[in-house]
Amino acid sequence: MVSACKMHNNMGISYSQKTHHVLSSSTTGHIGTSESEKDPILVSNSNESQMNLNDNNLMDGFDAVVNKRYACTRFQRYQEPTPNEDVNNNVEAEDSAKTTNTAVPQAAISDQSVVKAAHECLALSQRAPTGFNAQPYRVILVHSKEDKERLSQYCLGRNADRVRDSDCTAVFLADRECGRDGKRYTNFLVDNMDPPLQNEDDDNDDARPLFNSMAPSTTVATTNTSRTRRPLSSNALFKLRALIMLFSSGYPLPRFLNVPFSWGVRTAVSILSFFARCLQSLRSRFRILSKLFPSDIQLLPTLSSAETWAQKNTMLAAMIYMLACTSRGLATCPMEGIDAAGVRKVLGVPRGRYSIPLIVCAGTPYRRSVNEVSETDDVGMSHGDDGNFSPRYKLDEVVFGNAFGVACDLE
């Protein structure tokens, strides 16, 4: 596995002063105090006005970031490599280069400030929601010249040029077997629990020994009772792990057993769900059934395959990453035209467990001359550029109201 980047998360770097200023002003929100301190009503009105102002700034900043994002089809190369840099005084490589007539495309040297900013964006992308906070994904940030060249060999068409020209490429890996991380997940929850309070409910008594035995001893008791921090019992932790395995179809079984077993579970749940829907429908029509089943029948969830569940969670993180890059003035290009098996090979990704839904290049957009036309992709389609939106379907063709195909009339 490619070693993770060891960089400090310095969130103060900004590459888009205008957008970043809007976002920063919406979160700092310093309220000056003067005569209003003497009147609680004035203080309340002042705070409410400031909150409304902050909300408007936050909304404007987010809208600006979303509208500014586009798929960059060509990146500006930061620095060209020096001649024979790839050889590295290797005699065999020099002899090989002399005997070959084909020119091997070289990747550009990356701008480290851009790489650090992309690393910060990946840290921010961890705020993306995932099912049960399982976070079933990994990300490899490819930024060295040699690794960009190796990765580009398994990118189709001009995607290879984008990998070589951009400063870094985030390879998103969807974990199809996150059920194997049950112990890691349990430790993660316990390490982030608040200590049990003295007046905790009796049904949480079994959480106290679990917390005392696993949580750090330096934790200070607080009154935080949020769902993500409150102490969980051992039964609750076991239930969470069982639900993750059920929804993700990622059971900790040998791979040759996991696929048929997960298919059997999904099929069984689908059949039970069908009968539950039928029984619920008949219960509302016939009184005798309503007497036999006085309460509503528990419906069952629709389960996805392991790859589907992992990828839909991974894509949420990828979208936040791209928006975070845009807020820092970095151009991005999400791509799926890759040879996944080759990418796994060159990056040392374990076989079978991880799928690669997409890779995202990030860097500085190519600076075109005045007479140069807008860049297009391999099929001749333009994706727009900064300030020039690519088209979308009409809103009423995509968004419906209350039922499929019904216009969403809000007047």
Side-chain angles (χ1 to χ4, degrees), residues 35-183:
E35 295 298 327
S36 62
E37 292 180 345
K38 302 178 182 180
D39 192 339
I41 298 179
L42 293 179
V43 173
S44 176
N45 292 337
S46 176
N47 291 342
E48 184 176 355
S49 300
Q50 188 65 38
M51 290 176 60
N52 292 335
L53 179 61
N54 290 340
D55 290 342
N56 290 334
N57 290 339
L58 185 62
M59 178 182 64
D60 294 340
F62 181 77
D63 292 353
V65 170
V66 172
N67 288 324
K68 192 178 180 65
R69 192 210 67 80
Y70 69 100
C72 181
T73 54
R74 186 176 182 183
F75 292 90
Q76 185 72 32
R77 293 170 67 92
Y78 174 68
Q79 181 180 341
E80 295 297 335
T82 57
N84 298 328
E85 183 175 344
D86 286 339
V87 176
N88 292 327
N89 298 325
N90 189 314
V91 178
E92 294 181 359
E94 290 181 356
D95 295 339
S96 176
K98 292 178 181 179
T99 56
T100 55
N101 296 324
T102 58
V104 179
Q106 288 188 335
I109 298 176
S110 299
D111 184 351
Q112 290 304 308
S113 63
V114 173
V115 177
K116 291 180 180 180
H119 191 260
E120 295 170 2
C121 295
L122 287 175
L124 189 61
S125 71
Q126 287 189 281
R127 301 307 310 163
T130 56
F132 306 100
N133 199 22
Q135 305 167 58
Y137 58 85
R138 305 288 189 274
V139 187
I140 301 176
L141 188 62
V142 179
H143 59 89
S144 70
K145 175 183 176 296
E146 295 77 13
D147 289 315
K148 288 196 297 183
E149 291 174 354
R150 283 193 285 266
L151 175 61
S152 66
Q153 296 176 6
Y154 296 98
C155 296
L156 280 61
R158 292 178 57 194
N159 289 348
D161 295 330
R162 296 175 187 121
V163 170
R164 289 189 290 262
D165 296 344
S166 61
D167 293 288
C168 57
T169 299
V171 181
F172 285 85
L173 311 176
D175 189 357
R176 296 180 289 195
E177 300 176 2
C178 65
R180 298 184 184 277
D181 286 341
K183 184 177 181 181

Side-chain angles (χ1 to χ4, degrees), residues 297-375:
I297 299 173
Q298 180 65 48
L299 299 179
L300 298 175
T302 300
L303 302 180
S304 304
S305 65
E307 183 159 357
T308 300
W309 190 86
Q311 288 192 0
K312 67 183 180 182
N313 281 278
T314 303
M315 296 300 286
L316 295 174
M319 188 70 251
I320 288 186
Y321 168 71
M322 288 187 286
L323 292 178
C325 286
T326 302
S327 71
R328 287 157 173 77
L330 304 181
T332 58
C333 183
M335 303 180 299
E336 57 182 347
I338 60 174
D339 179 356
V343 172
R344 281 194 290 266
K345 179 181 178 180
V346 297
L347 298 183
V349 180
R351 294 180 58 186
R353 177 165 179 173
Y354 298 97
S355 64
I356 307 177
L358 83 165
I359 65 176
V360 181
C361 294
T364 304
Y366 178 73
R367 294 185 289 269
R368 302 193 311 269
S369 61
V370 177
N371 298 327
E372 197 171 358
V373 297
S374 178
E375 198 73 19

Side-chain angles (χ1 to χ4, degrees), residues 139-408:
V139 187
I140 301 176
L141 188 62
V142 179
H143 59 89
S144 70
K145 175 183 176 296
E146 295 77 13
D147 289 315
K148 288 196 297 183
E149 291 174 354
R150 283 193 285 266
L151 175 61
S152 66
Q153 296 176 6
Y154 296 98
C155 296
L156 280 61
R158 292 178 57 194
N159 289 348
D161 295 330
R162 296 175 187 121
V163 170
R164 289 189 290 262
D165 296 344
S166 61
D167 293 288
C168 57
T169 299
V171 181
F172 285 85
L173 311 176
D175 189 357
R176 296 180 289 195
E177 300 176 2
C178 65
R180 298 184 184 277
D181 286 341
K183 184 177 181 181
R184 172 174 173 258
Y185 177 72
T186 300
N187 293 336
F188 162 73
L189 292 181
V190 172
D191 290 342
N192 288 277
M193 287 181 188
D194 283 332
L197 302 178
Q198 295 300 324
N199 58 348
E200 288 278 352
D201 296 335
D202 294 337
D203 58 356
N204 281 337
D205 286 344
D206 53 351
R208 291 188 175 89
L210 179 66
F211 180 87
N212 293 333
S213 62
M214 299 182 67
S217 58
T218 57
T219 307
V220 180
T222 65
T223 58
N224 191 332
T225 57
S226 67
R227 294 182 60 188
T228 57
R229 299 296 301 273
R230 67 175 56 159
L232 297 174
S233 66
S234 56
N235 292 334
L237 292 173
F238 177 80
K239 181 179 179 181
L240 277 173
R241 291 179 58 177
L243 288 174
I244 290 175
M245 287 187 290
L246 177 65
F247 278 85
S248 69
S249 297
Y251 301 96
L253 299 173
R255 292 191 178 95
F256 71 94
L257 293 177
N258 192 16
V259 174
F261 181 79
S262 62
W263 179 86
V265 171
R266 294 196 306 272
T267 302
V269 171
S270 178
I271 294 174
L272 291 176
S273 178
F274 171 76
F275 284 110
R277 290 195 306 270
C278 293
L279 192 58
Q280 180 75 351
S281 178
L282 294 175
R283 177 180 171 276
S284 61
R285 297 181 183 181
F286 301 100
R287 291 184 178 179
I288 186 173
L289 290 178
S290 62
K291 294 180 180 180
L292 293 176
F293 302 97
S295 59
D296 290 340
I297 299 173
Q298 180 65 48
L299 299 179
L300 298 175
T302 300
L303 302 180
S304 304
S305 65
E307 183 159 357
T308 300
W309 190 86
Q311 288 192 0
K312 67 183 180 182
N313 281 278
T314 303
M315 296 300 286
L316 295 174
M319 188 70 251
I320 288 186
Y321 168 71
M322 288 187 286
L323 292 178
C325 286
T326 302
S327 71
R328 287 157 173 77
L330 304 181
T332 58
C333 183
M335 303 180 299
E336 57 182 347
I338 60 174
D339 179 356
V343 172
R344 281 194 290 266
K345 179 181 178 180
V346 297
L347 298 183
V349 180
R351 294 180 58 186
R353 177 165 179 173
Y354 298 97
S355 64
I356 307 177
L358 83 165
I359 65 176
V360 181
C361 294
T364 304
Y366 178 73
R367 294 185 289 269
R368 302 193 311 269
S369 61
V370 177
N371 298 327
E372 197 171 358
V373 297
S374 178
E375 198 73 19
T376 59
D377 60 13
D378 296 278
V379 297
M381 177 180 291
S382 175
H383 293 269
D385 52 24
D386 191 4
N388 183 20
F389 300 154
S390 57
R392 296 294 186 268
Y393 287 113
K394 294 181 180 179
L395 183 64
D396 56 5
E397 296 180 8
V398 179
V399 179
F400 305 131
N402 300 320
F404 185 86
V406 178
C408 186

